[in-house]
Amino acid sequence: MDKVSSSSEASAKVTSIFIYPVKSCRVISVSQAPLTPTGFRWDRQWIIVNQKGRAVTQRNEPKLALVEVELPKEAFLEGWEPTGGSYMVIKAPGMDVLKISLSKPHDVTDGVSLWEWSGSALDEGAEAANWFTKFLGKTSRLVRFNAASENRPVDPEYARGHNLMFSDQYPYMLLSQGSLDALNKLLNEPVPVNRFRPNLYISSILVCDSILVDGCEPFSEDLWTEVRINKFTFEGVKLCSRCKVKTKKLPFCFLFANNVFQVPTINQDTGIAGSEPSETLMKIRSDKVLRPNRKQQGKIYFGQNLVCKDSLTKGRGNVVKVGDPVFVLRKVSSAAEAAA
């Protein structure tokens, strides 16, 4: 059962805001980002697809971790709109620079699919297709979500009435520094936050330079069913699951059938996969450990999926900034009670 927090003090603060314009390519860290009904503006608006129109991600092409994406700094200002001279710049080792106009393309491609969803998308043209085809060594195209004609709802079992673009499941994902620190204490080689590709990275607030405000202990975000960041209310709808476990005599989660990798095992600087941190997460963050009396799905959990409960279609000020306070409004008592 949800418990209403009576504390008026912030439990944490926003440490970093991360945007991933092209799904599975490198992150952009920004000081602020406008909120939209489908997530932060520009987040996962583009994906690479293969010749059948299916999404290509790091799960089957780890080298996408090497693709660097840049947007104009002003793109993250509220109310900014691209002009004919506004571009997304894409770079990768051994490749020429690719510039993608931020003005919406006219060509529409049908039969694009990502997980459970299929529909049309805006095609970024031959130059982008040739660039990704050369980089990946197989026929590929770059497409943009067609917001004018397409809807991609989240799972109504967890959050009815919300939509997203090309994110995996929900518009926002939150992770705390406390959780990452706790994991890294168990690893021989610590991993950075970019292994987990969150949108919001938060940390505890220091009081008198040494005392941490209670509420942002390791894995405390598991329990949060409602939080306020600045003036915006977010619902914690579901623990973020990472993958179903398959071993097949190989190191845990290193290499799955059909060469499917688990993204947290991929070094985002090199594009090379290993076995960690998934082997350790399985020991401390599996449903068998966290939810022993629930149906076992062979999943591990790290982070909390969010939707924004506020209407973001009217008015100004729809921006979240680094340093914004995080207030926990409602929470459950244990991870076993959290939706997953």
Side-chain angles (χ1 to χ4, degrees):
M1 180 180 296
D2 281 3
K3 296 181 179 180
V4 180
S5 174
S6 59
S7 175
S8 60
E9 291 185 331
S11 296
K13 66 178 180 180
V14 176
T15 305
S16 302
I17 298 171
F18 298 125
I19 309 293
Y20 311 83
V22 182
K23 185 176 181 67
S24 273
C25 296
R26 283 192 175 173
V27 63
I28 296 177
S29 180
V30 297
S31 61
Q32 67 173 51
L35 297 165
T36 79
T38 57
F40 284 128
R41 191 178 187 190
W42 307 114
D43 190 54
R44 277 97 166 186
Q45 282 201 17
W46 288 267
I47 56 170
I48 301 111
V49 297
N50 63 19
Q51 60 184 350
K52 295 182 179 180
R54 295 173 183 165
V56 177
T57 74
Q58 285 189 37
R59 293 169 178 87
N60 46 29
E61 292 290 349
K63 69 184 298 186
L64 285 175
L66 305 180
V67 178
E68 182 180 350
V69 181
E70 298 174 1
L71 287 176
K73 291 183 179 179
E74 59 269 24
F76 299 98
L77 300 176
E78 187 180 17
W80 182 82
E81 292 298 333
T83 66
S86 302
Y87 293 91
M88 176 171 64
V89 178
I90 298 177
K91 304 175 183 178
M95 300 291 294
D96 293 333
V97 173
L98 174 65
K99 296 176 69 175
I100 302 294
S101 174
L102 292 181
S103 298
K104 291 183 179 178
H106 299 292
D107 293 337
V108 175
T109 296
D110 294 319
V112 170
S113 62
L114 170 64
W115 315 138
E116 81 300 336
W117 175 88
S118 63
S120 69
L122 302 172
D123 196 302
E124 293 292 359
E127 183 181 1
N130 292 336
W131 194 96
F132 279 101
T133 296
K134 180 180 178 181
F135 180 70
L136 294 175
K138 57 190 69 174
T139 301
S140 306
R141 301 195 73 84
L142 180 67
V143 299
R144 185 173 181 176
F145 193 83
N146 190 1
S149 66
E150 299 296 332
N151 246 3
R152 185 170 170 240
V154 305
D155 188 337
E157 180 181 346
Y158 294 96
R160 187 175 297 276
H162 293 272
N163 296 288
L164 68 166
M165 291 192 178
F166 291 133
S167 299
D168 271 358
Q169 293 181 312
Y170 297 92
Y172 304 94
M173 200 275 276
L174 176 148
L175 184 64
S176 74
Q177 182 180 333
S179 299
L180 183 62
D181 289 347
L183 170 64
N184 279 332
K185 288 179 181 178
L186 303 175
L187 298 175
N188 291 329
E189 296 184 11
V191 297
V193 67
N194 65 10
R195 291 287 190 100
F196 300 97
R197 302 178 73 81
N199 297 112
L200 289 159
Y201 188 47
I202 65 169
S203 63
S204 296
I205 293 176
L206 286 171
V207 179
C208 298
D209 297 326
S210 61
I211 301 173
L212 290 175
V213 171
D214 291 335
C216 197
E217 296 298 317
F219 312 114
S220 58
E221 64 268 31
D222 289 355
L223 313 181
W224 299 349
T225 57
E226 189 172 274
V227 298
R228 189 171 77 248
I229 301 175
N230 194 348
K231 63 180 182 180
F232 305 102
T233 303
F234 293 83
E235 180 182 354
V237 295
K238 185 178 184 291
L239 299 182
C240 185
S241 58
R242 294 296 167 171
C243 78
K244 291 190 176 181
V245 177
K246 300 179 183 178
T247 53
K248 288 198 172 182
K249 298 182 181 180
L250 292 170
F252 168 76
C253 265
F254 172 64
L255 184 63
F256 296 122
N258 301 318
N259 294 330
V260 177
F261 296 86
Q262 194 183 20
V263 174
T265 69
I266 300 168
N267 185 314
Q268 297 297 298
D269 294 325
T270 65
I272 298 173
S275 60
E276 291 287 15
S278 293
E279 283 189 346
T280 297
L281 282 172
M282 182 59 186
K283 297 173 184 176
I284 64 170
R285 299 290 300 170
S286 69
D287 48 7
K288 184 177 181 179
V289 173
L290 297 181
R291 305 162 63 80
N293 298 321
R294 300 292 188 98
K295 180 181 178 180
Q296 300 299 294
Q297 302 177 74
K299 293 182 178 181
I300 55 179
Y301 301 99
F302 202 63
Q304 176 74 262
N305 289 305
L306 305 175
V307 296
C308 185
K309 297 179 67 175
D310 299 315
S311 173
L312 301 169
T313 57
K314 297 180 180 179
R316 296 185 61 81
N318 295 332
V319 174
V320 168
K321 300 179 180 181
V322 168
D324 278 348
V326 179
F327 299 86
V328 179
L329 305 182
R330 293 178 180 272
K331 60 183 180 179
V332 292
S333 299
S334 69
E337 296 179 42

